[in-house]
């Protein structure tokens, strides 16, 4: 591994030039969580600095500190050699720090020119559309981001909207541009354009921080890379000294305790030779026409746990929704128990024995304002004993809720209280047990351990292996490689909506998974391929 | 930093809400009494008069029930729609549509009461449903905001009533203005001037409460209203449920119009909806989404309306009555909000300096 570079100015810079941004010992804590601790970072004028890390590594928190959204509990922020505190994002903007978020913050119904001028203190007091459009055109030409000032934002492609966001920031005289996952929504051509523009911006002596988990892009665009892990900085490296496999290893490379939970108990169901569910070349496009799931083919076998690894937002949500009938595929085929089911019909899937522990349980699996009993009946309200002849038996629902709570080991004082009064961990356990009840064939569990403590995580993983032993096909989506490696039989790695590869978990190599998560083609990872 | 001594909870217990509402009503009555005293009226005398002519006499009670009858149904219409998370602001228009349809049957057909009344009832319900059909389909299939569409149709229904009562259906017998002739069929009276529509409305409200809590359909409506995404996740056909709930809501308001025409007014008159549709929204808000609560809420609203009429006989202008209504509802809204706050046990402050 390369040694981290010292914070000395890069060569070719006038001596005495201070970094644009210096962070010294930044610490930021949330109740029960250390989001950042002892983070030092130097960003020099004329550099593109990549910030690399897994989900939850603290990248976003750190950038929120830099842009004044959060105030750090420890450490200092130094701009051009002077200490600064930002009471609000406006302070950071005035100091020349601009951030382009992954999810654009534009007013869809406004034109490009209106969005650029919105909340800008340099906007003329009385501005006609013509004046604003002329000003926008001038800004657009000055910074080399072509936009149509009169176009309505809602009509623009994702790449064009991003240009508007960048212009918004540059128009406010940003010298440090922070971009969060800028290429996630872009086509390869748009990515190329963006990188050209970023290089031009750098050439004027400005700095860019780019948050990414795509190793190839980091290698292509950045001058230096800083890697965060568990809220702390692991190191800063010259990109020229790095290679993707070393970055991947550093990013995910904490000590992973491998406990084999693959061993079957006596009498457990073997892996069924015939798949219960199959995806054949399934693709999904979202409302903006972006392909969020690309040509995914998968076989789910009874008695097997298929782990899905990948940085969040790489198609896991779409995969879960396609597997549970919540989302229609745009092309390809879904085969369930031998028959093609291309209709998005969640009732049909649930009836066929497909359980679903969704990622955002409060938003999609529960009605937070309704009682615990009502929520526990959600999957079985139409079947006896709760549902008979179109009636709903509240007493039977209460019995069911008691059963579920007992199995989930959640003690509940009052089953009539709204379920949002329970802690997130207890909600998660209840949803998991509710879904396991109906999952006779398949259980799709998206991040089921998220927000649980260590003991609860072990219980949750135990639920999954129990189901597997009963012959259910389990899909286990997680961002925790340790859990994935411990319980999965096979692991599929997703990147950009694609299933990069499905590998045998027993012999899986963490560095390989890290490379696949970062978008490296499996072919290039074979022995003899470029390293 | 000052320690926060109160915390807002997402839910408020029903008992607290009731207690704070009683406080709110008492406070508003004090304010009203004060203002009336300042303007030279005797609050004690007025209160006595109001009590005597509402709760304190048989005629008063009969009037109250007549006011409650349409309020129960329009309140239930808005409440039922609210269960699936939608606002039917158009009960006023559906009320007129139901009244028009029932009148049409009464004017156009002739037969025994036992045939005519069920026909008029069905016509009233269908009229209300027809009036909400376009907003329903627009909501279910195109996502068009039902608040606007239902509201705008109110004005059309109201004007249509004026047209009919001054045009084709105008009273050619006694020459009454903006009215049809007296209908030959009417809902039989039960107690004084109170017709059988009143107990039927109460039964409908109770029946709705049972349907919502004891049927599969009701369960699906509640889930769909509380979290549409969870409903989709559970495989509930949300669109079909929206259509059925909105049609039911329109039917209820239409029935209110039929009862008013056939039981209370006995004619179709321009302006006869008397804001019952809009007051149904107030009743539903007071009932906080529970059908059974619609009964006391409708009683309170009827009391306010009835008191207003008594006060008008005492040379208080109609706008004073509106202001009083507004004040009471405003105070109740504050009470509801305050019911969400709970004192939080704070550690004793070390220094009182800050």
């Amino acid at each position: 591994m390369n040694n981290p570079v010292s914070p000395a100015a890069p060569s070719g810079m006038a001596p005495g030039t201070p970094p644009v941004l210096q962070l010294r010992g930044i610490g930021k804590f949330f109740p029960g969580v250390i989001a950042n601790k002892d983070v030092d970072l130097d960003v020099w004028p004329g550099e593109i600095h990549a910030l690399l890390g897994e989900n939850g590594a603290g990248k976003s928190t750190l950038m929120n500190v830099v842009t004044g959204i959060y105030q750090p509990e420890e450490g200092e922020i130094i701009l051009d050699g002077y200490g600064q505190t930002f009471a609000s994002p406006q302070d950071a903007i005035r100091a020349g720090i601009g951030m382009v978020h992954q999810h654009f913050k534009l007013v869809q119904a406004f034109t490009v020119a209106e969005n650029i001028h919105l909340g800008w203190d340099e906007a003329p007091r009385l501005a006609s559309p013509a004046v604003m459009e002329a000003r926008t055109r001038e800004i657009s030409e000055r910074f080399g981001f072509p936009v149509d000032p009169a176009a309505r934002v809602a009509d623009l492609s994702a790449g064009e909207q991003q240009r508007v966001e960048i212009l918004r920031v540059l128009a406010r005289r940003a010298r440090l541009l922070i971009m969060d996952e800028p290429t996630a929504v872009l086509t390869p051509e748009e990515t190329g354009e963006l990188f050209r523009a970023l290089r031009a911006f750098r050439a004027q002596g400005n700095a860019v921080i780019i948050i990414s988990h795509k190793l190839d892009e980091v290698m292509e665009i950045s001058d230096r890379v800083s890697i965060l892990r568990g809220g702390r900085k692991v190191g800063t490296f010259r990109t020229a000294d790095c290679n993707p496999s070393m970055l991947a290893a550093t990013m995910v490379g904490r000590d992973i305790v491998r406990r084999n939970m693959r061993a079957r108990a006596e009498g457990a169901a073997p892996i069924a030779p015939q798949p219960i569910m199959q995806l054949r070349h399934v693709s999904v496009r979202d409302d903006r026409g972006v392909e969020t799931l690309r040509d995914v083919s998968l076989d789910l076998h009874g008695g097997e746990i298929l782990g899905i690894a990948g940085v969040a937002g790489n198609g896991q949500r779409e995969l879960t929704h396609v597997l549970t009938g919540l989302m229609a595929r745009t092309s390809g085929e879904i085969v369930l128990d031998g028959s093609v089911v291309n209709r998005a019909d969640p009732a049909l899937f649930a009836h066929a024995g497909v359980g679903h522990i969704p990622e955002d349980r409060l938003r999609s699996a529960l009605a937070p304002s309704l009682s615990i009993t009502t929520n526990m009946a959600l999957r079985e309200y139409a079947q006896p004993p709760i549902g008979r002849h179109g009636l709903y038996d509240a007493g039977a629902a209460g019995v069911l809720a008691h059963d579920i709570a007992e199995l989930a080991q959640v003690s509940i004082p009052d089953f009539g209280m709204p379920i949002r009064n329970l802690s997130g961990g207890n909600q998660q356990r209840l949803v998991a047990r509710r879904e396991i009840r109906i999952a006779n064939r398949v259980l799709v569990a998206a991040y089921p351990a998220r927000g649980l403590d260590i003991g609860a995580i072990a219980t949750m993983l135990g639920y999954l292996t129990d189901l597997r032993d009963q012959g259910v096909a389990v899909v286990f989506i997680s961002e925790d490689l340790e859990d994935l490696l411990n319980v999965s039989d096979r692991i599929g790695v997703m990147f950009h909506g694609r299933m990069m590869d499905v590998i045998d978990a027993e012999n899986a190599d963490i560095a390989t998974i890290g490379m696949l998560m970062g978008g490296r083609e499996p072919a290039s990872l074979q022995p003899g391929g470029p390293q | 930093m000052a320690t926060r001594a109160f915390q807002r909870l997402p839910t408020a217990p029903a008992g607290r809400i009731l207690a704070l509402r009683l406080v709110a009503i008492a406070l508003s009555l004090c304010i009203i009494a004060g203002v009336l005293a300042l303007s030279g009226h005797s609050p004690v005398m007025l209160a006595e008069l109001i009590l005597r002519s509402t709760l304190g006499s048989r005629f008063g009670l009969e009037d109250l029930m007549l006011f409650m009858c349409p309020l129960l149904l329009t309140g239930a219409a808005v409440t039922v729609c609210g269960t699936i998370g939608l606002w039917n602001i158009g009960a006023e228009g559906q009320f007129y549509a139901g009244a028009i349809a029932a009148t049409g049957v009464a004017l156009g057909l002739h037969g025994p009461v036992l045939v005519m009344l069920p026909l008029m009832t069905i016509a009233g319900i269908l009229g209300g449903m027809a009036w909400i059909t376009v907003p329903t389909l627009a909501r279910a299939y195109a996502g068009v905001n039902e608040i606007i569409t239902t509201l705008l149709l109110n004005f059309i229904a109201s004007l249509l009533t004026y047209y009919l009562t001054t045009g084709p259906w105008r009273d050619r017998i006694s020459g009454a203005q903006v009215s049809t002739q007296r209908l030959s069929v009417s809902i039989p009276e039960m107690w004084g001037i109170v017709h059988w529509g009143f107990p039927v409305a109460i039964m409908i409200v109770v029946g709705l409460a049972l349907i919502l809590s004891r049927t599969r359909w009701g369960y699906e409506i509640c889930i769909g209203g509380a979290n549409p995404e969870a409903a989709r996740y559970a495989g509930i056909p949300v669109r079909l449920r929206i259509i059925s709930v909105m049609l039911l809501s329109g039917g209820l308001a239409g029935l209110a119009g039929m009862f008013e025409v056939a039981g209370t007014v006995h004619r179709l008159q321009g302006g006869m909806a008397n804001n019952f549709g809009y007051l149904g929204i107030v009743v539903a808000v007071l009932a906080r989404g529970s059908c059974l609560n619609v009964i006391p809420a409708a009683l309170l609203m009827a009391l306010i309306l009835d008191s207003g009429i008594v006060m008008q006989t005492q040379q208080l202008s109609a706008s004073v009555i509106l202001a009083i209504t507004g004040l009471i509802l405003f105070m109740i809204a504050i009470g509801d909000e305050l019911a969400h706050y709970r004192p939080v046990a704070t550690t004793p402050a070390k220094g009182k300096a800050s």
Side-chain angles (χ1 to χ4, degrees), chain B residues 213-301:
Chain B
S213 62
R214 292 291 150 83
T215 66
R216 198 172 135 181
W217 183 83
Y219 178 84
E220 294 182 341
I221 303 299
C222 293
I223 296 280
N227 186 356
E229 208 171 315
R232 234 173 67 72
Y233 162 91
I236 294 168
V238 179
R239 183 176 286 168
L240 288 179
R241 296 296 170 266
I242 286 178
I243 292 173
S244 57
V245 166
M246 287 184 73
L247 290 180
L248 172 65
S249 175
L252 286 168
L255 186 62
M258 182 271 171
F259 280 0
E260 195 69 3
V261 154
T264 309
V265 184
H266 304 291
R267 314 162 166 261
L268 182 67
Q269 290 179 343
M272 71 176 291
N274 208 3
N275 288 335
F276 284 131
Y278 295 112
L279 293 173
I281 302 168
V282 178
V283 169
V285 169
L286 288 174
R288 296 177 63 85
S290 145
C291 277
L292 287 181
N293 287 352
V294 164
I295 298 172
L299 173 64
L300 176 66
M301 204 60 237

Side-chain angles (χ1 to χ4, degrees), chain A residues 326 346-347 356 362-364 366-367 370 374 377-379 381 390-392 418 420 434-435, chain B residues 10-11 213-217 219-220 222-223 226-227 229-237:
Chain A
L326 280 168
H356 177 201
L362 258 190
R363 242 186 58 206
S364 45
L366 296 173
L370 300 183
T374 307
L378 192 60
R379 286 300 199 179
Y381 71 90
L391 295 181
Y392 169 81
R420 69 170 153 224
R434 184 186 76 192
E435 295 307 308
Chain B
T11 47
S213 62
R214 292 291 150 83
T215 66
R216 198 172 135 181
W217 183 83
Y219 178 84
E220 294 182 341
C222 293
I223 296 280
N227 186 356
E229 208 171 315
R232 234 173 67 72
Y233 162 91
I236 294 168

Side-chain angles (χ1 to χ4, degrees), chain A residues 16-33:
Chain A
T17 310
V20 179
L21 170 74
Q22 256 183 314
L23 301 181
R24 285 287 165 265
I26 294 292
K28 176 72 194 169
F29 315 111
F30 296 107
V33 183

Side-chain angles (χ1 to χ4, degrees), chain A residues 116-308:
Chain A
I116 298 267
H117 286 79
L118 193 64
W120 185 16
D121 41 22
E122 287 176 40
R125 258 183 195 290
L126 291 169
S128 66
V131 169
M132 286 199 288
E133 280 162 26
R135 285 172 55 98
T136 305
R137 201 166 291 116
E138 188 269 321
I139 294 166
S140 144
E141 277 158 17
R142 173 148 44 101
F143 292 107
F145 287 89
V147 291
D148 172 6
R152 219 157 275 286
V153 164
D155 300 334
L156 300 183
S157 74
E160 290 167 318
Q161 294 194 20
Q162 186 182 54
R163 262 181 256 157
V164 180
E165 276 277 7
I166 296 174
L167 278 179
R168 251 176 78 89
V169 169
L170 296 185
R172 288 155 177 77
R173 301 180 209 286
R175 292 173 304 120
L176 172 62
L177 179 63
I178 303 173
M179 303 201 71
D180 187 1
E181 298 282 359
T183 61
V185 292
L186 300 186
T187 63
E189 300 80 67
E190 286 175 327
T191 304
E193 282 172 33
L194 172 69
F195 284 180
R196 268 193 298 285
L198 289 184
R199 289 195 187 100
F201 182 65
R202 170 180 66 183
Q204 294 157 22
N206 299 307
V208 179
I209 296 180
I210 182 164
I211 301 177
S212 181
H213 59 266
K214 285 177 204 150
L215 303 176
D216 286 335
E217 284 171 10
V218 168
M219 292 299 296
E220 183 187 340
I221 186 75
S222 71
D223 301 304
R224 291 193 303 159
V225 190
S226 289
I227 299 178
L228 293 182
R229 195 198 303 152
R232 291 161 195 268
K233 195 177 85 168
V234 184
T236 299
F237 311 96
R238 283 203 181 83
T239 311
D241 302 335
C242 295
N243 61 58
S245 56
M246 164 252 160
L247 287 177
T250 317
M251 182 168 80
V252 298
R254 79 204 118 102
D255 298 330
I256 287 194
V257 184
R258 291 188 102 161
R259 277 180 309 129
N260 188 355
M261 295 174 73
R262 273 182 295 279
R264 265 52 168 189
E266 193 86 14
I271 298 180
Q274 287 300 318
I276 295 176
M277 201 196 271
Q278 280 180 296
L279 300 188
R280 292 186 192 143
H281 306 289
V282 169
S283 297
V284 168
R285 271 176 205 285
D286 68 8
D287 303 338
R288 289 181 303 179
V290 178
E291 215 169 27
T292 45
L293 205 60
R294 300 175 196 215
D295 193 24
V296 170
S297 295
L298 270 185
D299 285 354
L300 308 185
H301 294 272
E304 184 194 46
I305 298 183
L306 173 67
I308 302 289

